[in-house]
Amino acid sequence: NAGVTQTPKFQVLKTGQSMTLQCAQDMNHNSMYWYRQDPGMGLRLIYYSASEGTTDKGEVPNGYNVSRLNKREFSLRLESAAPSQTSVYFCASSEQGEDTQYFGPGTRLTVL
Amino acid sequence: AQSVTQPDIHITVSEGASLELRCNYSYGATPYLFWYVQSPGQGLQLLLKYFSGDTLVQGIKGFEAEFKRSQSSFNLRKPSVHWSDAAEYFCAVGAWNSGNTPLVFGKGTRLSVIA
């Protein structure tokens, strides 16, 4: 099992460009999550999907959109990137909301 | 809603010394508690978790944690630290029977290990 995979691993964007971060899990988990990690801020939840067909805002949803494409895949889209979105983005999945989360390796995004 | 506090932002210990990382949570009912480790440039890896039962939980890499309900704490310990333990450690709390409320993570404690 690959667990949770994320693409790309690195990305550099210019201000105003758009992009989609991809995440997939092969553990048949119901719930999936997107976090961003910034120095001194810990992990901050952007959006989550408790089950296929549902999505909910987390702590820092502004500037992002998500799509739960199917049970396996959960994508994060930046419509118009800003320098404040420079961060490391992690995707995670779990069986249920309160269960152990399994993390992907992360995407390091720089917005110039 | 649940919350987590990790009071120490950065801790430095000598190799071979013992380690204790603090975690305090706030939640009115039975919590689920987790410790994760993040090595530089990597994702988070589960060290151990507490759901119920024995309040002393053993994890990977020689770590253990003790759930103390009276103190609302779940401190992580290791008797002898190795240089490879240098990493960032995150405590997290989940709400039992919460209806899919996600885990809440602390802001992390960075561990440095010196010779």
Side-chain angles (χ1 to χ4, degrees):
Chain A
N1 286 353
V4 179
T5 57
Q6 294 182 234
T7 55
K9 285 187 168 48
F10 301 93
Q11 184 70 50
V12 178
L13 293 177
K14 294 180 180 177
T15 298
Q17 288 185 318
S18 63
M19 80 160 295
T20 300
L21 281 65
Q22 306 286 354
C23 174
Q25 52 92 8
D26 62 3
M27 295 173 282
N28 202 37
H29 284 164
N30 292 307
S31 302
M32 297 186 73
Y33 313 85
W34 276 106
Y35 293 92
R36 60 178 289 173
Q37 184 177 32
D38 304 288
M41 304 293 287
L43 288 170
R44 293 185 289 172
L45 183 64
I46 304 171
Y47 272 94
Y48 68 101
S49 171
S51 60
E52 187 178 356
T54 69
T55 60
D56 286 285
K57 295 179 180 179
E59 180 184 354
V60 289
N62 290 347
Y64 304 95
N65 287 301
V66 291
S67 295
R68 184 75 183 266
L69 304 169
N70 47 55
K71 192 171 186 180
R72 288 187 64 249
E73 299 172 288
F74 188 39
S75 63
L76 178 72
R77 183 161 178 83
L78 287 70
E79 291 291 350
S80 179
S84 60
Q85 294 178 304
T86 293
S87 187
V88 181
Y89 292 85
F90 288 100
C91 178
S93 70
S94 68
E95 180 60 32
Q96 302 290 345
E98 63 269 31
D99 288 337
T100 304
Q101 289 187 15
Y102 296 87
F103 284 79
T107 295
R108 187 172 296 274
L109 175 67
T110 301
V111 183
L112 302 175
Chain B
Q2 65 270 41
S3 67
V4 176
T5 302
Q6 293 181 247
D8 303 305
I9 296 172
H10 183 208
I11 284 181
T12 300
V13 300
S14 298
E15 191 169 15
S18 63
L19 171 70
E20 183 169 30
L21 302 182
R22 296 183 291 165
C23 172
N24 295 102
Y25 70 90
S26 174
Y27 182 57
T30 302
Y32 291 169
L33 294 160
F34 306 81
W35 274 102
Y36 284 83
V37 61
Q38 184 183 29
S39 297
Q42 304 293 317
L44 277 71
Q45 179 185 17
L46 180 70
L47 275 177
L48 49 79
K49 62 186 178 185
Y50 171 79
F51 279 10
S52 65
D54 193 345
T55 56
L56 185 62
V57 180
Q58 302 297 321
I60 62 171
K61 305 185 182 189
F63 285 91
E64 66 179 25
E66 187 171 12
F67 170 54
K68 293 185 177 180
R69 185 186 298 275
S70 61
Q71 298 177 19
S72 298
S73 69
F74 189 57
N75 294 349
L76 183 70
R77 301 192 295 246
K78 187 169 185 179
S80 178
V81 169
H82 187 261
W83 64 267
S84 60
D85 293 324
E88 186 134 24
Y89 292 80
F90 293 92
C91 182
V93 60
W96 177 80
N97 203 25
S98 65
N100 282 320
T101 303
L103 302 185
V104 173
F105 285 82
K107 293 196 183 303
T109 297
R110 184 161 62 91
L111 174 66
S112 297
V113 180
I114 58 176

